[in-house]
Amino acid sequence: MSSRIEQLINEIDEYIEECKFKAFSNTEIIVNKDEIQDLLGELRLRIPDEVKRYQKIISNQDAIISDAHAQAQEILAQATAQTDELVNEHEIMQRAYAQANEVVEQAQAQAQEIVDRAVEEADEVRRGAIQYTDDMLGNLQNIMTHTMESAQSRFDSFLQSMQSNYDVISSNRNELAGSIVSGEEEEPQETETKEEQ
């Protein structure tokens, strides 16, 4: 069963696939700001709970190992009790020692096997949780990279438009300034002509 994080990432991927391309572009798409923010907002809310859940799974490995040690101690205690009972019988003392040693060795082997298996299972759970979290964060990182690149592209386009408007305004002002200078140079000539008449 997939988590809500995976569902959200799939929904974001599907949403991006469904977006239309901008005019004259094969890479830039048109994104509905509200829809993508809603998806990213829920993803942002879900991530801490998902990470905490896998951190809890990782922390449970200590409990698994502790439980294995407890079982091992119980087995050893039972073996010791059996040994004591056998040793208390004087006429079968030699056989009791042999059986006691055998029981203790079996108990130690069984206890070690339980501990080893528990450690292996705990490590497997930990590795799985870390890998899942890394994959999830990697997908999120890719989405954020795509979003930032898209935002940068829109910002660059806006600056280019502003620069173009600025250049047009500067050009118009220069033309007006040239007209004003030309007008001032022509006025004195007209005055002199009137005085001569």
Side-chain angles (χ1 to χ4, degrees):
M1 181 176 179
S2 62
S3 69
R4 180 56 183 155
I5 291 288
E6 291 172 308
Q7 292 174 5
L8 282 169
I9 291 174
N10 290 335
E11 288 177 21
I12 292 172
D13 285 337
E14 290 172 3
Y15 174 77
I16 291 174
E17 287 296 324
E18 291 172 0
C19 289
K20 295 181 180 180
F21 286 100
K22 289 177 65 176
F24 310 110
S25 174
N26 292 327
T27 57
E28 296 181 358
I29 59 175
I30 300 172
V31 177
N32 184 294
K33 182 179 178 182
D34 291 338
E35 291 182 21
I36 196 68
Q37 282 184 338
D38 287 345
L39 290 171
L40 291 174
E42 185 177 355
L43 182 63
R44 191 178 295 109
L45 290 174
R46 294 279 183 174
I47 285 175
D49 291 337
E50 195 76 359
V51 172
K52 285 179 184 176
R53 184 163 74 89
Y54 281 97
Q55 285 176 338
K56 185 176 180 181
I57 292 174
I58 292 171
S59 66
N60 282 343
Q61 65 180 333
D62 293 333
I64 294 172
I65 295 172
S66 177
D67 183 63
H69 279 296
Q71 291 182 38
Q73 291 297 325
E74 184 178 353
I75 292 170
L76 288 174
Q78 292 175 357
T80 302
Q82 292 177 13
T83 300
D84 292 338
E85 290 176 5
L86 291 171
V87 170
N88 287 336
E89 300 293 330
H90 178 70
E91 53 275 355
I92 56 171
M93 187 173 293
Q94 293 301 322
R95 189 175 60 183
Y97 278 122
Q99 289 179 348
N101 288 333
E102 183 179 353
V103 169
V104 170
E105 288 175 0
Q106 290 177 352
Q108 288 176 337
Q110 188 177 0
Q112 187 60 47
E113 182 180 355
I114 291 172
V115 171
D116 292 343
R117 187 166 57 247
V119 171
E120 183 178 351
E121 289 175 358
D123 287 341
E124 184 176 349
V125 169
R126 178 177 177 275
R127 286 193 298 270
I130 291 174
Q131 183 62 50
Y132 175 83
T133 303
D134 183 67
D135 291 343
M136 177 187 66
L137 294 176
N139 288 335
L140 181 59
Q141 188 177 27
N142 290 336
I143 292 170
M144 291 181 69
T145 298
H146 178 78
T147 303
M148 288 189 294
E149 289 174 352
S150 177
Q152 183 64 46
S153 175
R154 290 195 300 272
F155 182 73
D156 291 342
S157 177
F158 171 75
L159 283 182
Q160 186 176 1
S161 175
M162 290 291 289
Q163 184 64 50
S164 177
N165 291 332
Y166 179 84
D167 292 341
V168 169
I169 291 170
S170 296
S171 176
N172 289 339
R173 288 195 68 201
N174 290 335
E175 289 178 8
L176 288 174
S179 298
I180 292 171
V181 171
S182 298
E184 290 176 352
E185 289 176 352
E186 291 174 2
E187 265 187 340
Q189 294 177 359
E190 291 177 2
T191 302
E192 291 172 4
T193 303
K194 289 179 181 179
E195 289 175 357
E196 289 175 358
Q197 291 175 357

